[in-house]
Amino acid sequence: MGLFGNSKRETCFVCGKEVSTSLLKADCVKLADGKYVCNACAKECGINVFALLKLTPEEIKQSAASKALVEQKRFNPSKKINRVALGLPQKASILELDEQAGLINLPILTHGILTDSQVDYIRPVDKIINFELQENGNSVADGNSIVRAGVGGLLFGGIGAIVGAGTGGKNINEVCMSMKIKVTFDDLADPVAYIDLLGKQQNGCKKNSLEYMKAFETAQKCLSVLSVLLEHNKAKKAADAATAAAGQAANTQGSVADEILKFKQLLDMGAITQEEFDAKKKELLGL
């Protein structure tokens, strides 16, 4: 076949359908990690090609599932935090929480040539195990530390002191190139999501700028919500562990009682002596 007719067959990682990578007959998009997604799945995900090339396969799958939840009205956010950083869509949500369904949406922000765009990324709230605020890739505040310090008195007003402690002593003229919140989930296949607070920055922004302060204010609101959710997850996990331990103890006590009853029956039958029964009973009770 000719130069443009050669067709290498690959598989769409989403639906498993065989696709063609031929230059003239391609019906798929090649991702950065070498995997392919067919045009039909790309359309189903509702993600433009430019954004598609920047997402991981796990993010694309989760985005498709998120789109389905929204369309089926199975995700109805009761709380929203909008983007307020300059240069980003003012009505776009940076975090959405459906308290009744136990779901959180952390839309993925992708940077285009002219504008930024985002796609829904809905995850279970009870899978959150930690989060941290990062500036220029460095951790500024850790979720577990915030929760251990006491969520109630630290949210909004007090939490700023914790975040400030991580950045204390730095020059306000220092340039911030990125500000993100990294959210970690109990999910080996897709363990991390990011909340991008600043969006695309060509030259960054100074820490005394309006843009930085707006992004930092939004970060405070997101951290507050995530702190409450993390504290709730920790409390639920502890309660579940206590319930399981109580159940195990009850089962142990039940098995001991059954064993004693069994030896009592042997005593009544004359199969063992009273001394043997008493000795076995003490052994089972740990006396």
Side-chain angles (χ1 to χ4, degrees):
M1 299 182 69
L3 176 63
F4 300 108
N6 293 328
S7 178
K8 182 181 177 183
R9 309 304 293 184
E10 295 287 349
T11 302
C12 171
F13 81 93
V14 177
C15 66
K17 174 186 174 183
E18 191 177 70
V19 294
S20 171
T21 61
S22 168
L23 185 60
L24 295 180
K25 299 181 180 179
D27 56 1
C28 61
V29 177
K30 185 177 182 179
L31 305 178
D33 66 350
K35 293 184 179 180
Y36 291 83
V37 58
C38 70
N39 293 342
C41 285
K43 183 178 179 181
E44 182 66 25
C45 292
I47 306 172
N48 63 56
V49 174
F50 189 85
L52 196 66
L53 295 173
K54 296 194 172 187
L55 300 179
T56 67
E58 289 75 19
E59 288 174 335
I60 293 172
K61 285 183 178 180
Q62 188 61 46
S63 296
S66 299
K67 183 172 181 286
L69 284 173
V70 172
E71 289 180 344
Q72 296 165 13
K73 301 188 183 303
R74 292 166 57 192
F75 178 77
N76 298 296
S78 52
K79 182 175 182 60
K80 291 184 179 183
I81 298 175
N82 291 333
R83 297 187 182 278
V84 295
L86 301 178
L88 295 178
Q90 296 298 301
K91 294 183 179 180
S93 297
I94 199 167
L95 181 154
E96 297 180 343
L97 179 65
D98 185 338
E99 297 171 269
Q100 184 173 357
L103 297 171
I104 188 169
N105 184 20
L106 306 175
I108 302 173
L109 186 66
T110 58
H111 306 310
I113 299 174
L114 298 177
T115 60
D116 294 332
S117 61
Q118 64 180 41
V119 293
D120 289 326
Y121 197 69
I122 301 172
R123 307 292 297 274
V125 165
D126 61 6
K127 291 291 185 179
I128 297 174
I129 57 177
N130 198 18
F131 61 88
E132 64 179 32
L133 177 63
Q134 298 179 342
E135 281 190 15
N136 297 332
N138 300 316
S139 179
V140 174
D142 177 80
N144 281 312
S145 298
I146 292 173
V147 170
R148 282 196 299 270
V151 174
L154 292 172
L155 295 187
F156 294 101
I159 201 172
I162 293 179
V163 176
T167 56
K170 295 186 178 180
N171 192 322
I172 58 174
N173 289 320
E174 182 181 349
V175 174
C176 180
M177 298 299 298
S178 69
M179 184 189 298
K180 297 181 180 181
I181 298 176
K182 176 183 177 182
V183 185
T184 305
F185 293 85
D186 184 12
D187 183 352
L188 290 177
D190 193 10
V192 175
Y194 287 92
I195 301 174
D196 193 341
L197 295 146
L198 279 179
K200 188 176 183 179
Q201 294 292 318
Q202 295 292 345
N203 301 308
C205 61
K206 291 184 178 181
K207 293 194 174 182
N208 62 348
S209 67
L210 178 61
E211 185 170 10
Y212 177 86
M213 289 187 284
K214 283 182 173 291
F216 193 79
E217 178 186 354
T218 305
Q220 300 297 321
K221 295 178 181 179
C222 292
L223 291 174
S224 297
V225 172
L226 292 169
S227 295
V228 172
L229 296 178
L230 183 58
E231 184 186 40
H232 178 270
N233 287 349
K234 286 180 174 292
K236 185 177 184 300
K237 186 176 181 180
D240 290 344
T243 300
Q248 185 177 3
N251 290 335
T252 300
Q253 292 176 353
S255 61
V256 169
D258 291 341
E259 285 295 304
I260 293 174
L261 179 59
K262 181 178 71 174
F263 283 101
K264 179 63 170 64
Q265 292 172 340
L266 292 174
L267 174 64
D268 293 341
M269 294 168 56
I272 59 174
T273 65
Q274 183 67 48
E275 290 76 11
E276 290 173 326
F277 172 75
D278 292 340
K280 196 65 180 178
K281 181 178 178 181
K282 287 183 178 180
E283 178 187 334
L284 291 169
L285 293 175
L287 300 177

